[in-house]
Amino acid sequence: MNEILNNIQKIKSRIQSACEKTGKNYEDVKLLLATKTVSADRIKTALQSGATLIGENKIQELKEKYEALKSIPHQTHFIGHLQTNKVKDVLKYANCIQSVDRMELVQKLDQRLQQEGRSLDILLQVNTSYEKSKFGADPATIVDFAKSVSKFDTLKVKGLMTIGLFSAEETKVRKCFQLLKKLNTELNELQLPNFELIELSMGMSSDLEIAIEEGATIIRVGTAIFGSRIYPDSYYWNETGNP
Ligand SMILES: *Cc1c(COP(=O)(O)O)cnc(C)c1O
């Protein structure tokens, strides 16, 4: 358990160094714990040490851990691929959905939110690496997508999210984050209704420094805090959900 707290400290130092390098404020970067496959007990340890934000990829896991964690104040973001038949459930358990990437999902979310008479914070996920294996809206269509989303008053768009290219070549990874930032600036200029783009969710265990240098406000860290996972990421990132 101490291991988790040590690892969180290490991540905080990495955030601090990256901020110093580029003259950013430590307070401007939020740490989201990516808790897929992590037990509620271990998440509890992290939350009790002062972490306040977690992200889950699967509705099933969200549900299973919800009761155990609900007494500890925290926010939960949904960061995985969201099937439209899971919309009702995700709204029960998540404060924000970072992975909104297609109109079909937008329409389903709006329908349900209207029924519930409320709104929801979302981020638009962009596929900045152009990899087929990853979800996210195509950067070329993001302006049209954003314009369509802005017509739904139930959805409050707070920013953009991306998963950078997995590569040892730093320039290629950096390009993904630069693209997200550029799209964010472009969208901001449109001044769309229901858009208040304050978050750039980018950077994970291996590339968080690059993401912070390029303007990340939320980094999503799993492995570097909780250790490696039994399932490969494809289990979470492809359509079938099979490893
Ligand atoms: C798992 C996951 C992360 C965290 O990845 P690590 O490499 O374990 O830090 C971040 N974002 C998303 C969308 C994820 O699924």
Side-chain angles (χ1 to χ4, degrees), residues 107-173:
Q107 282 156 357
K108 281 275 166 4
L109 283 168
D110 174 66
Q111 263 174 23
R112 186 66 209 176
L113 287 163
Q114 284 207 33
Q115 282 173 26
E116 295 182 9
R118 64 178 181 114
S119 63
L120 177 76
D121 288 351
I122 61 167
L123 306 185
L124 304 183
Q125 183 178 356
V126 186
N127 186 354
T128 55
S129 66
Y130 298 94
E131 289 166 289
K132 285 217 172 63
S133 60
K134 283 181 187 158
F135 292 105
D138 181 337
T141 64
I142 196 73
V143 168
D144 286 341
F145 180 49
K147 284 180 179 165
S148 304
V149 175
S150 72
K151 299 192 176 106
F152 295 85
D153 290 336
T154 49
L155 297 170
K156 306 298 176 197
V157 184
K158 298 293 175 190
L160 304 180
M161 183 271 250
T162 201
I163 300 170
L165 184 75
F166 290 128
S167 166
E169 289 180 68
E170 193 183 307
T171 19
K172 289 188 180 167
V173 180

Side-chain angles (χ1 to χ4, degrees), residues 19 23-24 26 32 34 49 63 65-66 71 90 98-99 115 142 145 187 190 192 200 210 223 227 233-234 239:
C19 285
K24 293 183 166 34
Y26 175 79
L32 175 148
S49 84
K63 267 192 199 169
K65 301 173 201 174
Y66 181 77
S71 63
V90 79
Q98 294 202 2
S99 46
Q115 282 173 26
I142 196 73
F145 180 49
L187 292 181
L190 299 177
L192 298 168
L200 278 181
I210 309 173
T223 313
D233 283 338
S234 57
E239 187 67 68

Side-chain angles (χ1 to χ4, degrees), residues 6-230:
N6 279 341
N7 290 343
I8 291 181
Q9 275 317 313
K10 279 187 210 154
I11 293 295
K12 287 184 174 170
S13 326
R14 283 174 65 186
I15 298 174
Q16 184 82 49
S17 308
C19 285
E20 275 166 16
K21 196 171 158 190
T22 42
K24 293 183 166 34
N25 293 321
Y26 175 79
E27 298 74 38
D28 294 342
V29 182
K30 290 188 266 293
L31 171 60
L32 175 148
L33 310 180
T35 48
K36 55 179 179 256
T37 76
V38 180
S39 70
D41 269 356
R42 301 180 76 221
I43 299 171
K44 245 184 188 167
T45 305
L47 290 176
Q48 280 159 347
S49 84
T52 54
L53 181 59
I54 65 171
E56 286 285 355
N57 290 63
K58 295 247 182 221
I59 302 295
Q60 190 58 34
E61 286 192 50
L62 255 188
K63 267 192 199 169
E64 284 166 10
K65 301 173 201 174
Y66 181 77
E67 283 299 321
L69 299 178
K70 79 172 184 207
S71 63
I72 310 172
H74 68 284
Q75 296 270 309
T76 305
H77 288 190
F78 191 77
I79 60 174
H81 179 61
L82 183 56
Q83 287 161 340
T84 47
N85 62 356
K86 300 284 167 62
V87 157
K88 195 173 152 187
D89 280 331
V90 79
L91 291 178
K92 261 186 238 163
Y93 305 111
N95 309 97
C96 170
I97 300 175
Q98 294 202 2
S99 46
V100 176
D101 61 355
R102 61 200 193 281
M103 277 317 287
E104 186 200 11
L105 177 58
V106 167
Q107 282 156 357
K108 281 275 166 4
L109 283 168
D110 174 66
Q111 263 174 23
R112 186 66 209 176
L113 287 163
Q114 284 207 33
Q115 282 173 26
E116 295 182 9
R118 64 178 181 114
S119 63
L120 177 76
D121 288 351
I122 61 167
L123 306 185
L124 304 183
Q125 183 178 356
V126 186
N127 186 354
T128 55
S129 66
Y130 298 94
E131 289 166 289
K132 285 217 172 63
S133 60
K134 283 181 187 158
F135 292 105
D138 181 337
T141 64
I142 196 73
V143 168
D144 286 341
F145 180 49
K147 284 180 179 165
S148 304
V149 175
S150 72
K151 299 192 176 106
F152 295 85
D153 290 336
T154 49
L155 297 170
K156 306 298 176 197
V157 184
K158 298 293 175 190
L160 304 180
M161 183 271 250
T162 201
I163 300 170
L165 184 75
F166 290 128
S167 166
E169 289 180 68
E170 193 183 307
T171 19
K172 289 188 180 167
V173 180
R174 190 177 294 276
K175 264 201 185 128
C176 296
F177 300 145
Q178 285 172 337
L179 176 56
L180 197 72
K181 172 91 183 176
K182 177 172 154 265
L183 296 173
N184 192 66
T185 306
E186 269 174 45
L187 292 181
N188 246 334
E189 282 163 6
L190 299 177
Q191 302 202 337
L192 298 168
N194 301 310
F195 271 58
E196 186 202 2
L197 299 173
I198 49 176
E199 307 290 9
L200 278 181
S201 175
M202 56 191 197
M204 312 185 354
S205 292
S206 59
D207 55 15
L208 65 93
E209 282 87 357
I210 309 173
I212 291 171
E213 285 164 30
E214 298 304 333
T217 64
I218 301 175
I219 56 166
R220 310 176 308 266
V221 182
T223 313
I225 291 173
F226 299 107
S228 55
R229 294 177 288 267
I230 49 168

